[in-house]
């Protein structure tokens, strides 16, 4: 029997980030040396406070409230007030099985086309496709570190005419590592308010800001129309815990009621032990600040190392300001690759994986044209526990130490450099 499926899913493919991770791991399982620049997962160990919280509450076997463990909602609200000056109350907080799922629920519930800056994270568009939404990529510019400008947003909103729209904005950004300034965010907020745009502000990397400043959040300038998402996976190095949070302002109360209803009919509630573990982390965040600051310093060093190597290879690459990604492009080699029959980012990444053993993702997976020669690089292919244990700061990281701490980043760059030299 061949069952009929929802036609909206027939053209979907597996998430590009998950697919490249599976392929890289498959090749490594075959004892092939692969430099895995394709998957963004924090390499650091789960903080002790989270592990202890999970262990101490492993016996909790009751369903928790749909919206989340009440004291966890209070702790999340307090965390965002203290760290980012947001004004969300505990009643505004929802807990879900990862921020990815919560973003999908929002996209499903809110009417209107989805505005997606390009490049942006791979899953926003497919999630909108599952809802049958129009997706409007907004091409951003390399000379602005691929950050969305107010002018670009204005043109996109105007082109769509009347009616509600949704903007999803990731800050710090995946796949570029870009971080918005307060002035940039304020300008975007004015456009969103003028066009009645509902903003989903994906702030999963909010604590990985290389300037160690309180980030510019859309909620600071457009609180009545901004939904904030976050969670444990990136800054807290607990992706496998699958716990995300969503903060919805009172002005969007109708969404809160709808979200409670849809949660009650889908996943019901997040694992109780995991919610108690998350409470331990959010409520005692002061105990984690040194850990998160040190991890951020290591992310910054790894990103800046790759950035400097890419520039020496004559790649175009904005300097990352946060998260753990870079977005270099091979535009300066376009003619070289064209003579080899390579004209798309997909074929380029396939060739680099085959010949240089470096796993990358093409710009087309991030809403750019197929011919775009940009690639996403994740800077986390190293043993985070070992680096964290012996990290003395970037100023102590000599060439020898860099090789000791980040061998796959160094060798991956060497392999990519050799690949380019051999291509000319």
């Amino acid at each position: 029997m061949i069952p009929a499926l929802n036609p909206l899913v027939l053209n979907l493919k597996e998430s590009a980030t998950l697919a490249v991770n599976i392929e890289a791991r498959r090749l490594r399982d075959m004892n092939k040396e692969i430099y895995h620049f394709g998957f963004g997962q924090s390499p650091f160990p789960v903080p002790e406070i989270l592990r202890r919280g999970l262990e101490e509450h492993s016996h909790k076997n009751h369903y928790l409230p749909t919206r989340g463990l009440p004291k966890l909602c209070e702790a999340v609200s307090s965390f965002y007030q203290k760290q980012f000056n947001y004004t969300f109350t505990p009643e505004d907080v929802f807990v879900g099985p990862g921020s990815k799922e919560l973003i999908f629920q929002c996209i499903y519930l809110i009417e209107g086309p989805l505005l997606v800056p390009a490049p942006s994270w791979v899953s926003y568009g497919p999630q909108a496709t599952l809802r049958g939404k129009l997706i409007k990529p907004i091409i951003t510019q390399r000379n602005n570190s691929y950050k969305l400008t107010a002018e670009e947003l204005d043109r996109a909103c105007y082109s769509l005419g009347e009616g509600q729209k949704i903007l999803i904005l990731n800050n710090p950004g995946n796949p570029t590592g870009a971080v918005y300034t307060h002035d940039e965010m304020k300008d975007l907020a004015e456009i969103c308010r003028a066009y009645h745009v509902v903003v989903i502000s994906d702030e999963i990397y909010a604590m990985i800001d290389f300037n160690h400043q309180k980030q510019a959040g859309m909620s600071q300038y457009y609180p009545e129309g901004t939904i904030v998402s976050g969670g444990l996976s990136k800054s807290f190095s607990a992706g496998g815990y699958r716990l995300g949070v969503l903060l919805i302002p009172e002005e969007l109360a109708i969404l809160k009621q709808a979200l409670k209803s849809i949660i009650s009919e889908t996943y019901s509630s997040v694992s109780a032990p995991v919610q108690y573990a998350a409470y331990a982390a959010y409520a005692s965040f002061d105990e984690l600040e040194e850990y998160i600051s040190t991890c951020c310093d290591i992310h910054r060093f790894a990103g800046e190392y790759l950035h400097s190597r890419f520039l020496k290879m004559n790649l175009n690459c904005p300097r990352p300001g946060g998260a753990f990604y870079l977005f270099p492009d091979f535009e300066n080699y376009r003619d070289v690759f064209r003579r080899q029959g390579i004209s798309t980012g997909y074929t380029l990444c396939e060739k680099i994986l085959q010949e240089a053993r470096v796993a990358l993702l093409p710009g087309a997976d991030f809403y750019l044209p197929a011919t775009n020669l940009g690639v996403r690089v994740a800077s986390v292919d190293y043993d985070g526990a070992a680096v964290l244990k012996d990290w003395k700061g970037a100023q102590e990281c000599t060439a020898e130490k860099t090789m000791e701490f980040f061998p796959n980043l160094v060798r991956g760059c060497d392999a990519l450099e050799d690949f380019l030299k051999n291509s000319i």
Side-chain angles (χ1 to χ4, degrees):
M1 176 182 177
I2 301 176
L5 298 181
N6 180 341
L8 295 177
V9 309
L10 294 180
N11 291 324
L12 286 182
K13 61 178 183 177
E14 183 179 14
S15 168
T17 53
L18 298 180
V20 75
N21 186 47
I22 291 170
E23 177 63 10
R25 291 172 64 178
R26 183 187 72 83
L27 292 171
R28 282 180 170 175
D29 288 343
M30 296 169 60
N31 294 320
K32 294 187 177 182
E33 188 173 28
I34 298 295
Y35 308 113
H36 194 359
F37 291 4
F39 190 60
Q41 177 172 301
S42 174
F44 302 111
V46 177
E48 173 63 26
I49 192 170
L50 265 169
R51 297 202 305 270
R52 189 169 62 247
L54 187 64
E55 292 168 1
E56 291 175 356
H57 296 90
S58 61
H59 64 285
K60 298 288 188 181
N61 64 346
H62 295 296
Y63 284 93
L64 293 177
T66 298
R67 199 164 51 78
L69 178 68
K71 66 179 184 179
L72 172 57
C73 294
E74 292 177 10
V76 169
S77 170
S78 177
F79 168 83
Y80 278 93
Q81 288 178 20
K82 181 178 179 181
Q83 297 299 323
F84 306 113
N85 299 318
Y86 295 167
T87 57
F88 295 103
T89 69
E91 289 70 34
D92 298 330
V93 177
F94 286 77
V95 180
S99 62
K100 188 175 186 177
E101 174 66 21
L102 289 168
I103 289 171
F104 172 69
Q105 302 279 15
C106 282
I107 291 173
Y108 186 87
L109 288 169
I110 302 170
E111 287 296 322
L114 183 68
L115 299 160
V116 182
S120 278
W121 183 49
V122 296
S123 290
Y124 301 142
Q127 288 189 352
T129 296
L130 287 171
R131 175 64 164 79
K133 284 185 179 294
L134 172 68
I135 304 162
K136 175 73 172 179
I138 309 174
I139 303 297
T140 59
Q141 303 302 312
R142 183 180 67 213
N143 60 11
N144 192 43
S145 297
Y146 298 106
K147 290 185 284 186
L148 179 67
T149 68
E151 292 77 13
E152 290 164 346
L153 178 59
D154 183 28
R155 287 194 296 270
C157 289
Y158 184 79
S159 72
L160 292 172
E162 298 295 327
Q164 181 173 277
K165 305 164 188 65
I166 309 167
L167 169 67
I168 193 151
L169 196 65
N170 185 205
N171 181 41
N174 174 4
T176 64
V179 177
Y180 287 82
T181 68
H182 283 273
D183 286 342
E184 290 166 339
M185 197 63 77
K186 184 177 180 180
D187 290 343
L188 289 171
E190 290 183 10
I191 302 300
C192 291
R193 185 174 286 112
Y195 285 97
H196 306 289
V197 176
V198 178
V199 178
I200 302 173
S201 184
D202 182 354
E203 301 180 14
I204 193 68
Y205 299 97
M207 304 303 294
I208 310 176
D209 183 337
F210 299 158
N211 291 322
H212 291 294
Q213 296 177 350
K214 292 188 184 298
Q215 77 157 22
M218 181 65 78
S219 187
Q220 295 164 343
Y221 300 103
Y222 185 44
E224 72 275 17
T226 300
I227 302 159
V228 174
S229 72
L232 298 180
S233 62
K234 308 303 180 182
S235 307
F236 295 88
S237 304
Y241 279 47
R242 305 311 306 137
L243 185 137
V245 298
L246 197 74
L247 300 95
I248 303 174
E250 183 57 30
E251 289 85 350
L252 302 179
I254 189 173
L255 173 61
K256 291 195 282 187
Q257 186 56 49
L259 186 56
K260 282 193 284 187
S261 297
I262 199 170
I263 289 172
S264 72
E265 302 294 355
T266 53
Y267 60 82
S268 299
S269 64
V270 174
S271 160
V274 171
Q275 289 203 54
Y276 280 97
Y279 168 73
Y282 280 110
S284 303
F285 182 73
D286 289 351
E287 296 182 31
L288 287 173
E289 286 192 284
E290 183 178 355
Y291 164 89
I292 288 178
S293 178
T294 302
C295 291
C296 185
D297 283 340
I298 298 170
H299 283 310
R300 175 171 55 187
F301 180 87
E304 291 184 348
Y305 172 78
L306 291 177
H307 180 254
S308 66
R309 290 293 305 269
F310 293 156
L311 294 185
K312 291 177 182 177
M313 295 178 207
N314 197 28
L315 303 182
N316 304 303
C317 185
R319 185 173 183 169
F324 33 77
Y325 305 102
L326 301 91
F327 199 77
D329 73 57
F330 293 79
E331 187 62 36
N332 296 333
Y333 294 88
R334 180 174 291 277
D335 290 341
V336 171
F337 293 130
R338 183 183 290 116
R339 290 194 292 271
Q340 300 175 25
I342 296 172
S343 58
T344 70
Y346 286 117
T347 52
L348 175 61
C349 286
E350 288 175 2
K351 188 174 181 66
I352 289 173
L353 180 59
Q354 292 170 3
E355 297 188 8
R357 306 184 309 284
V358 178
L360 302 165
L361 281 176
D365 282 334
F366 301 90
Y367 317 102
L368 293 172
T371 54
N372 183 278
L373 296 185
V375 299
R376 192 197 73 170
V377 171
S379 58
V380 289
D381 188 12
Y382 54 88
D383 184 342
V387 177
L388 189 64
K389 179 181 177 181
D390 294 329
W391 184 254
K392 300 294 191 299
Q395 69 281 357
E396 300 294 326
C397 213
T398 62
E400 291 75 16
K401 271 292 182 184
T402 300
M403 184 62 185
E404 176 187 340
F405 285 157
F406 311 104
N408 281 350
L409 300 189
V410 175
R411 292 175 181 141
C413 285
D414 291 344
L416 192 57
E417 189 171 28
D418 289 342
F419 166 81
L420 291 172
K421 289 178 180 177
N422 293 333
S423 297
I424 297 175

